Amino acid sequence: MTSRISLEGRTAVVTGAGAGLGRSEALALAARGANVVVNDMGPAAEEVAGEIRALGGDAVAVVGDVGDWSMGDRLVQTAVESFGSLDILVNNAGVLRDKMVFNLTESDWDDVIRVHLKGHAAVTRAAAVHWRAASKAAGGPVYGRVINTSSEAFLFGSPGQPNYSAAKAGITALTLSTAQGLSRYGVRANAICPRARTGMTAHVFGDGAGADGGLDILAPERVGTFVAHLASPAAEGINGQVFVVYGDMVALMAAPTVERKFTAAGGVFTPEELDSQLTPYFEGRDPYRTYAAFSVAELDTTGVENTAASR
């Protein structure tokens, strides 16, 4: 394995790594040579850590909820004490509480925002403290990679997932802020919007087994391979980006653009002038022509029905 894609000697923290995407990401990082701190809420964390060790890698489990702010410090401390460093953070942990906005309860909102958005922030903050101090001690940039888990739900505004969509939009913004704030220290931060067949998405996708009996088109291992690339030295030039990744493709998202600028003729809008400029512009507009990126759905050539946005 070339040094550009090898993770030999690196240490990674992966949250929500007891199953599904997180497990595949942890295994993919370990396969490239990384030591892995496996985090999840229950005994599955130790099971995955044991799986990595059985394959010849090195891993430790930390059981706990990333929605607790202190968990970030605990995970970073475990990485440093167990393996001597922290080089890679994969924020993946999440929960679903799918409801239409008129059925949304306070706990539905709080649970999703706490685990997804607060969980990402808690571990990112702790990792940032570590890398900033390490960079100052070294007198220059250090090695740091953050891979955050956003979702197409934030691109579409999934109607049955207002809490999840909002959390994923926040995670994307957090990623951009992290990329700008930590780049001087050598850290690269990017977000992925993955699709994968996992226990969390069992209700979402139809059968997608390969026609030749090969790898499922929505196998989480496909996403794990890309995450391992973003974690590698080869990804040094990739920062502040958002990728949609599943099946046989990785799609790089472009930043939003300005569609039309409306300017007040006299420097200050009157209600009448706003009416004269904006009303005719939006008359007859396609209801799907909004800020939502519905065109992203055209990327899907898997042939597997997607009945809801997924992580």
Side-chain angles (χ1 to χ4, degrees), residues 286-305:
D286 183 336
Y288 286 99
R289 190 180 172 193
T290 70
Y291 196 75
F294 291 112
S295 62
V296 174
E298 297 171 6
L299 293 169
D300 190 0
T301 59
T302 64
V304 177
E305 183 181 6

Side-chain angles (χ1 to χ4, degrees), residues 100-118:
M100 298 293 287
V101 68
F102 42 75
N103 289 326
L104 194 66
T105 67
E106 184 175 8
S107 63
D108 292 333
W109 176 266
D110 287 348
D111 289 350
V112 170
I113 297 298
R114 184 182 64 83
V115 177
H116 284 279
L117 184 53
K118 183 182 177 183

Side-chain angles (χ1 to χ4, degrees), residues 90 138 159 205 234:
V90 180
F205 301 110

Side-chain angles (χ1 to χ4, degrees), residues 152 156 195 205 217-218 244 246-249 295-307:
E152 290 170 275
F156 298 146
R195 290 191 197 181
F205 301 110
I217 193 67
L218 291 177
V244 176
Y246 61 89
D248 63 354
M249 65 95 196
S295 62
V296 174
E298 297 171 6
L299 293 169
D300 190 0
T301 59
T302 64
V304 177
E305 183 181 6
N306 176 25
T307 58

Side-chain angles (χ1 to χ4, degrees), residues 152 155 191-195 226 242-246 249-253 296 299:
E152 290 170 275
L155 294 168
I192 61 170
C193 300
R195 290 191 197 181
F226 182 59
V242 176
F243 297 90
V244 176
V245 52
Y246 61 89
M249 65 95 196
V250 171
L252 173 63
M253 296 303 299
V296 174
L299 293 169

Side-chain angles (χ1 to χ4, degrees), residues 130-132 134-136 138 140-145 184-187 236:
H130 169 79
W131 284 322
R132 180 171 178 262
S135 176
K136 288 188 173 184
V142 295
Y143 190 100
R145 299 286 187 270
R184 74 186 73 177
Y185 305 117
V187 179
E236 173 67 20

Side-chain angles (χ1 to χ4, degrees), residues 149-170:
T149 307
S150 185
S151 170
E152 290 170 275
F154 111 85
L155 294 168
F156 298 146
S158 181
Q161 298 177 304
N163 44 4
Y164 182 78
S165 299
K168 294 306 188 181

